Amino acid sequence: MKKRTYLLFFLALSLVLCSCGTGEFVETELFAMDTVVQLRVWGEEALLEEAGQEIYRLAALFSVTDESSELYALNRDGTADLSPETVELIQTAAALSARTGGAFDPTVYPLVQLWGFTTGEYHVPGADAIAQALDDVGAEHLHLEESVTLEPGTMLDLGGIAKGYAAQRCAELLDQGGATAALLYLGGNVQTLGSKPDGSDWQIGIANPGEPSEALAKLTFSGSKAVVTSGSYQRYFEEDGRTYHHILDPETGRPTDNGLASVTVLAEDGTLADGLSTALFVMGLADAADFWRDSEDFEAVFILENGSVYATEGAAAMLSGCEFTVIRR
Ligand code: AMP
Ligand code: MG
């Protein structure tokens, strides 16, 4: 979609003005970054429109499939004229890859393509094809010295971090524009800004991986926070009676298979929360718990395929609605 079309599409969506016991807010729903986006803002209607347009703008930069995106040009040519936002996101992705020992890996795109997650033409690749794709996967094939350069065959996928970045940017934009509060929902990403005018806490549900339309538990907190969930239920296909999901282990080239069904990360920063939710999913419960013990900047809730729930100390203090085991430092 071209920019003008985005705008028209956005304006065509009705803005809803509500006063439902939490003060007056405006809200809208749109589709961007392959997901439903819901924006609720306690503030001027113009701010809501600005936030929606910012999401469309960023989506157009980071799309891996849109032939007019910056990322598409970079993947095709190995180098491209990139806007500061794209460079910033690639640098953040690379830093996160280093911090997580490669569990988060923005160079995973050849594998994502191979499994059909880009086109929707899903299939289980042969071992040879996976081995061949793995040759081009790894942060060492991405160079950030003077400009962003990819070695031949290497391609980036920012899908594991872009929604969090967009939510973070929107929250900043709304804050600078004078919004009292906001609740932003981009697929599995939730971002809150400020506190609701009635002083009540934010209550954010965590999906039941077995029944994603239902909440298994909820997180209650005040103030600005990002709450991001990565789950095997969010995108998957079935072949020969087996399920294959979209969070790939860059070591094996296959969907991560470690007993986790979802990971929810809480952090101040949306980009970090998004990248980490993907990374912790790949690490698995034990390694992710150790990683949390060595970190200070996030909390997490883990839901296993067998239904048991684990929460880091900080997350445990906000979690209710289910039984869980506390992960301590
Ligand atoms: P998320 O839903 O944030 O966990 O992101 C999942 C998306 O990130 C997938 O659909 C892929 O596009 C991409 N992805 C898959 N595996 C990885 C990985 N190990 N590191 C970084 N991105 C990944
Ligand atoms: Mg993520």
Side-chain angles (χ1 to χ4, degrees), residues 104 159-164 189 228-230 271-279:
F104 183 88
I161 196 171
K163 290 200 286 280
N189 292 51
V228 180
T229 300
S230 287
T271 319
L272 178 74
D274 195 357
L276 283 182
S277 71
T278 311

Side-chain angles (χ1 to χ4, degrees), residues 173-213:
L173 194 146
L174 291 166
D175 193 25
Q176 285 157 13
T180 313
L183 177 62
L184 314 175
Y185 178 89
L186 288 80
N189 292 51
V190 179
Q191 185 114 11
T192 63
L193 169 71
S195 295
K196 282 184 273 180
D198 70 354
S200 63
D201 284 336
W202 299 111
Q203 299 200 7
I204 308 298
I206 299 180
N208 178 350
E211 200 62 61
S213 61

Side-chain angles (χ1 to χ4, degrees), residues 214-227:
E214 290 172 7
L216 184 107
K218 72 175 178 196
L219 291 160
T220 305
F221 59 87
S222 62
S224 305
K225 230 178 252 310
V227 182

Side-chain angles (χ1 to χ4, degrees), residues 64 102-109 112 117 157-163 188-189 228-231 234-235 246-250 256 273-275 277-279 281-282:
V64 79
F104 183 88
D105 189 339
T107 68
V108 80
Y109 192 53
V112 174
F117 285 108
D157 178 356
L158 300 174
I161 196 171
K163 290 200 286 280
N189 292 51
V228 180
T229 300
S230 287
Q234 290 170 339
R235 189 170 301 179
H246 66 138
I247 304 171
L248 303 176
D249 182 339
T256 303
D274 195 357
S277 71
T278 311
F281 193 102
V282 172

